[in-house]
Amino acid sequence: WKTTNVGSNFSIHLHDQASHGADFFEVYVTKQGFDPKTQALGWSNLEKVATTGSYAPATDITFNVSAPGRSGHHIVYTIWQASHLDQTYFICSDVNFV
C-alpha cells in the first residue's frame, strides 16, 4: 500500500458505505524511534493520541488528530467501534511525518 505524507496535525477520513456511525474512535501512533520496516508492531510501540465521541450514521466521517514530536515513517492504528451490532473495526495506515 501507499505511505501518505502527513504533518503532526492531520485528518482521518473514513468512507462508510453502510453508514454504521461510531460510538467512538481511538487513534494510536507508533512512538518515535519505532521502525515499521524492521520491527513487528506491538501495543508497547503505540501511543494513544486521540479518542473521539460518537458519530451519527453517515457515509463520510472526518476528524482531526494531533501527534506532535514525530518525524519519519510511522503507523497510525485506528479502532472504530461501530454504533450498531457491536462491530469493531481495526485500521492500520502507513504515514510519513514531514
Side-chain angles (χ1 to χ4, degrees):
W1 55 73
K2 181 181 175 184
T3 300
T4 302
N5 289 333
V6 298
S8 60
N9 297 307
F10 61 96
S11 296
I12 292 183
H13 176 225
L14 299 161
H15 178 73
D16 177 14
Q17 279 183 284
S19 295
H20 290 90
D23 288 342
F24 62 85
F25 292 93
E26 289 183 344
V27 181
Y28 299 81
V29 177
T30 49
K31 296 174 182 174
Q32 189 64 33
F34 176 78
D35 185 352
K37 292 181 180 179
T38 62
Q39 293 177 269
L41 182 63
W43 282 111
S44 64
N45 305 115
L46 295 168
E47 177 183 14
K48 188 190 293 188
V49 296
T51 301
T52 72
S54 62
Y55 286 83
T59 56
D60 287 292
I61 297 173
T62 301
F63 57 92
N64 296 322
V65 176
S66 180
R70 288 172 177 80
S71 61
H73 193 183
H74 285 267
I75 296 172
V76 176
Y77 186 80
T78 305
I79 299 174
W80 170 8
Q81 180 61 55
S83 294
H84 74 288
L85 300 176
D86 296 327
Q87 296 173 338
T88 305
Y89 300 95
F90 304 91
I91 305 160
C92 281
S93 303
D94 266 336
V95 299
N96 185 47
F97 284 97
V98 292

